[in-house]
């Protein structure tokens, strides 16, 4: 199976209660594609960067089976930039700066080799660009998931609602689900979102885990309790990369398998937060990943005589 992903490849300035990192490599599609590459190959990346992006990061991505043919490099321009500061609870953050730079007039062009991708992850970026990617696919892929964020709800809600009609699954966080629907209850928010287009919905709740909604079913996956969370940036995208990567690897779209995919996504996100940026995501072994998933199994496994 092949996975197509679109999203930002960026520079981030991050401040957490444990430290500060300036101009580190970030972006939704960077996190998604590196994470998914542990499960499936090739990953067909669609994005845009300036000529300021480090070559060694691109080489690393290529070495992970990430196809960079659809990554446009704009000479003399700057990559997308985001700055954020986390609150003491590490579950909430303020965006301090968003500079679209190359993203402002990005027109994605899908290379021929990408057009038969089976799985698609529309990472967080301009809804119009997410739509342009879908429009270039000659046939509907087996499964399309999307992510978005409050920034696009504030600036491009109409376009976002159009993309939502075309996807099978939405992956967003609790705050975003509330903003999208105007409902505080996540159950009510889920009911509304499942009428907007997607059949499946994942609501991420940071250190409080994630909920998967499908028809009238709900599945809960915890987040791994960690002694120290260093930097939550990218955890949501890493979750999405693990979720869709696992689905694409197995090719199984049953609800039972979606549950497993949510656990794999949560396990990958638990690595991401252990170090700044993408540091911890690089060089993981399959043993490490399987052991981490095993800890989730232990965490929720219990016997009940009913
Ligand atoms: P996450 O922590 O999973 O929500 O994702 C953080 C990543 O999203 C950072 O690496 C940023 O570069 C990227 N990001 C921040 N704001 C936006 C935005 N408005 N659109 C797309 N990507 C963004």
């Amino acid at each position: 199976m092949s996975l197509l992903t679109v999203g930002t490849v960026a520079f981030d300035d991050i401040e957490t209660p444990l430290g500060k990192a300036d101009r580190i490599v970030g972006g939704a599609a960077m996190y998604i594609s590196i994470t998914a590459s542990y499960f499936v190959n090739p990953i067909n990346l669609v994005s845009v960067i300036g000529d300021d992006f480090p070559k060694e990061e691109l080489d690393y991505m290529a070495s992970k089976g990430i196809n960079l043919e659809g990554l446009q490099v704009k000479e003399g321009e700057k990559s997308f930039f985001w700055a954020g500061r986390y609150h003491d609870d590490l579950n909430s953050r303020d965006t301090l700066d968003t500079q679209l730079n190359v993203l402002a007039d990005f027109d994605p062009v899908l290379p021929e080799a990408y057009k038969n991708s089976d799985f698609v992850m529309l990472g967080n970026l301009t809804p119009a660009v997410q739509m342009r990617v879908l429009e270039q696919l000659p046939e509907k892929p087996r499964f399309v998931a999307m992510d978005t964020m409050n920034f696009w709800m504030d600036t491009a809600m109409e376009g976002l609602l159009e993309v939502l009609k075309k996807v099978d699954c939405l992956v967003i966080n609790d705050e975003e689900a509330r903003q999208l629907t105007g409902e505080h209850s996540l159950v009510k928010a889920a009911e509304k979102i499942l009428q907007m287009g997607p059949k499946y919905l994942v609501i991420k709740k940071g250190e409080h885990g994630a909920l998967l909604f499908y028809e009238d079913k709900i599945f809960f996956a915890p987040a791994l309790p960690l002694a120290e969370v260093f930097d939550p940036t990218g955890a949501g995208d890493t979750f999405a990369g693990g979720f869709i990567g696992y689905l694409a690897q197995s090719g199984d779209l049953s609800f039972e398998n979606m549950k497993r995919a949510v656990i794999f996504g949560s396990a990958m996100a638990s690595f991401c937060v252990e170090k700044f940026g993408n540091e911890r995501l690089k060089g993981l072994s399959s043993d490490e990943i399987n052991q981490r998933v095993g800890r989730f199994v232990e965490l929720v496994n219990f016997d009940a005589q009913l």
Side-chain angles (χ1 to χ4, degrees):
M1 297 279 173
S2 52
L3 171 69
L4 168 68
T5 190
V6 58
T8 43
V9 173
F11 286 117
D12 294 340
D13 277 5
I14 299 164
E15 256 183 82
T16 81
L18 291 182
K20 200 169 174 305
D22 283 346
R23 256 182 102 71
I24 57 170
V25 163
M30 183 279 293
Y31 284 108
I32 291 168
S33 48
I34 290 183
T35 307
S37 73
Y38 286 100
F39 300 94
V40 69
N41 257 292
I43 312 279
N44 296 323
L45 173 67
V46 179
S47 192
V48 63
I49 49 175
D51 60 8
D52 51 358
F53 202 78
K55 184 176 175 304
E56 58 277 16
E57 291 286 340
L58 298 178
D59 290 345
Y60 175 75
M61 289 167 85
S63 77
K64 296 286 296 172
I66 299 167
N67 188 348
L68 303 178
E69 210 188 327
L71 175 71
Q72 296 177 22
V73 183
K74 301 278 182 191
E75 293 301 322
E77 293 187 42
K78 285 191 199 161
S79 301
F80 178 85
F81 171 77
W82 175 78
R85 182 188 297 134
Y86 287 85
H87 300 173
D88 284 344
D89 68 2
L90 282 161
N91 247 4
S92 49
R93 70 183 177 204
D94 296 324
T95 288
L96 303 178
D97 198 3
T98 300
Q99 295 173 17
L100 296 179
N101 298 329
V102 282
L103 198 63
D105 54 5
F106 176 43
D107 183 20
V109 179
L110 255 56
E112 271 316 303
Y114 285 24
K115 292 193 175 166
N116 59 358
S117 303
D118 312 286
F119 284 72
V120 176
M121 180 70 226
L122 301 174
N124 183 20
L125 93 175
T126 329
V129 172
Q130 294 177 318
M131 187 62 110
R132 283 279 301 128
V133 167
L134 289 184
E135 282 167 356
Q136 291 174 65
L137 293 168
E139 280 173 39
K140 185 176 174 322
R142 282 198 62 200
F143 189 78
V144 181
M146 84 177 265
D147 184 10
T148 189
M149 77 185 285
N150 49 2
F151 183 84
W152 304 114
M153 291 178 203
D154 294 337
T155 59
M157 186 61 135
E158 221 174 289
L160 198 160
L161 291 174
E162 286 307 307
V163 187
L164 259 182
K165 289 183 192 158
K166 308 232 173 270
V167 304
D168 301 294
C169 180
L170 176 67
V171 182
I172 49 174
N173 71 30
D174 43 1
E175 238 179 83
E176 292 155 356
R178 291 186 172 117
Q179 181 168 348
L180 184 59
T181 59
E183 294 288 353
H184 185 78
S185 150
L186 294 181
V187 173
K188 285 188 185 159
E191 271 170 24
K192 282 195 176 170
I193 292 170
L194 292 179
Q195 283 166 10
M196 294 176 178
K199 290 190 289 291
Y200 298 91
L201 168 67
V202 179
I203 300 183
K204 299 163 291 174
K205 288 152 54 73
E207 66 169 329
H208 305 298
L211 294 164
L212 167 69
F213 294 87
Y214 172 62
E215 295 178 339
D216 56 354
K217 300 185 181 80
I218 306 179
F219 173 70
F220 171 69
L224 194 68
L226 293 167
E228 203 155 69
V229 170
F230 222 77
D231 170 21
T233 309
D237 306 310
T238 302
F239 174 96
F243 172 74
I244 195 106
Y246 182 81
L247 285 180
Q249 180 194 55
S250 57
D252 175 354
L253 294 175
S254 65
F255 185 63
E256 283 309 305
N257 202 50
M258 293 269 167
K259 292 185 192 175
R260 281 189 283 271
V262 170
I263 297 288
F264 271 81
S266 306
M268 296 307 285
S270 76
F271 286 120
C272 175
V273 303
E274 287 179 342
K275 292 203 172 151
F276 265 104
N278 65 11
E279 214 183 316
R280 183 70 176 102
L281 286 179
K282 290 179 171 174
L284 288 171
S285 69
S286 47
D287 272 359
E288 250 177 310
I289 295 173
N290 289 340
Q291 275 169 19
R292 198 48 77 97
V293 171
R295 289 179 62 189
F296 277 79
V297 174
E298 274 168 33
L299 197 62
V300 291
N301 208 0
F302 69 99
D303 248 340
Q305 306 290 329
L306 300 174

